Amino acid sequence: MAESSGFDPQLALSHKFPETTYTYTERDSVLYALGVGACARDAVDDDELKYVYHANGEQFLQVLPTFAALFSLASFPNGFNLPGLEYDQRLLLHGQQYIELYRPFPSSGCVHNKVSLAGLHDKGKAAIIEYETKSYEKESGQLLCMNRSTVFLRGAGGFSKSSQPYSYSNYQTDKASTVKIPKTHPFAVFEDSTQPSQALLYRLSGDYNPLHSDPMVAKIAGFSRPILHGLCTLGFAVRAIIKCICKGDPNLIKSITGRFLLHVYPGETLITEMWLDDLRVIYQAKVKERNRTVLSGYVDVHRLTSSL
Ligand SMILES: CCCCCCC[C@@H](O)CC(=O)SCCNC(=O)CCNC(=O)[C@H](O)C(C)(C)COP(=O)(O)OP(=O)(O)OC[C@H]1O[C@@H](n2cnc3c(N)ncnc32)[C@H](O)[C@@H]1OP(=O)(O)O
């Protein structure tokens, strides 16, 4: 294992991240829901209108549980840097996302984020960093959710100082590692088209990484054109689960785990397949046009309806 220029994992682990706040309005919640495809197939969809419009005179909009991921993103206004770790930002890919939800989000509000380094791995060809963000409702101080985000930094590995590749994880079990997909027929399958403009719409929720909008940056990163944000694909998949398994109730979602296996190009069709294992929904999303699995993981739910 090569030793790279002055990166000290111990120094990185002791790094203190600044606390941040994230303020959002109903407009942000709606923009996010549209960005992950809500109501794109049917503008009067009974299951989804509540994310974008005060349907039936309801006082509050509902917020998709994957909106939580925006809180963690807001914690990194200057990128995913660690002291001493040099890498080309254009080669960064989102590897995994794990979200725990403790209470439904108000459709507007302000959260206070505390970030820590949850893991750091030297994979030789890449460095993997796991960040944990705990988000508290600013007014009440209540913990709303926790995100664990894994970034895969191509070309940034090789910093281990011994023959044993450096690996640190704050957790006994890697909750977001690859899931075993059952061999049986899925319990439910949901097909949804992303739009050619999907990434351009989704970026307005706060991830302005040019990998998703700039053809030149995408080429340097190794793609024929800009790719979709991983969190947008995750948003599509979890929406499918809410629709098919939770009968449209977003508040049934307890936690979400996903590993991004392959990039998605905006405009491609996503097929989300779901299997039930008690209160766990195992899922995978495939791109129909290339017949490739792009995302897999599981979602834990509070309870399933009696008819399941
Ligand atoms: C809040 C924070 C949010 C973060 C926002 C990030 C900013 C965003 O704008 C960026 C994005 O959204 S990028 C788009 C979404 N992501 C993707 O498209 C990536 C898709 N995945 C890939 O291309 C490959 O799996 C790839 C390239 C990731 C890995 O493929 P390979 O190089 O073939 O890896 P492989 O040889 O199979 O494995 C090497 C070691 O790495 C581990 N690993 C593999 N895939 C991983 C993944 N997705 N996440 C985490 N770890 C992963 C493997 O386990 C392996 O480790 P080991 O050798 O110990 O088994």
Side-chain angles (χ1 to χ4, degrees), residues 72-73 80 92-97 123 125 128 149-152 207 209 211-212 227-231 259-263:
S72 60
L73 193 63
F80 301 92
L92 176 151
L93 291 171
H94 197 169
Q96 299 178 158
Q97 187 75 18
K123 299 291 182 190
K125 62 181 177 181
I128 293 181
S149 314
T150 303
V151 288
F152 192 95
D207 184 347
N209 184 345
L211 174 62
H212 311 293
I227 63 171
L228 199 58
H229 304 71
L231 288 176
R259 179 181 269 218
F260 303 107
L261 302 169
L262 192 70
H263 59 281

Side-chain angles (χ1 to χ4, degrees), residues 99-118:
I99 308 172
E100 268 178 20
L101 302 144
Y102 307 122
R103 55 194 72 242
F105 307 133
S107 53
S108 62
C110 182
V111 293
H112 182 66
N113 294 313
K114 291 184 184 175
V115 183
S116 59
L117 190 64

Side-chain angles (χ1 to χ4, degrees), residues 1 61 90 98 151 154 167 178 198 227 262 274 285 292 306:
M1 192 75 33
L61 295 178
R90 296 169 301 186
Y98 174 66
V151 288
R154 292 175 290 167
S167 194
T178 40
Q198 201 73 50
I227 63 171
L262 192 70
M274 299 156 244
R292 298 286 301 274
S306 52

Side-chain angles (χ1 to χ4, degrees), residues 2 9 14 25 52 56 81 84 90 92 166 201 239-240 247 257 267:
S14 61
T25 64
V52 299
N56 305 319
N81 301 315
R90 296 169 301 186
L92 176 151
Y166 185 89
L201 175 62
R239 245 187 352 90
K247 302 225 161 134
T257 294

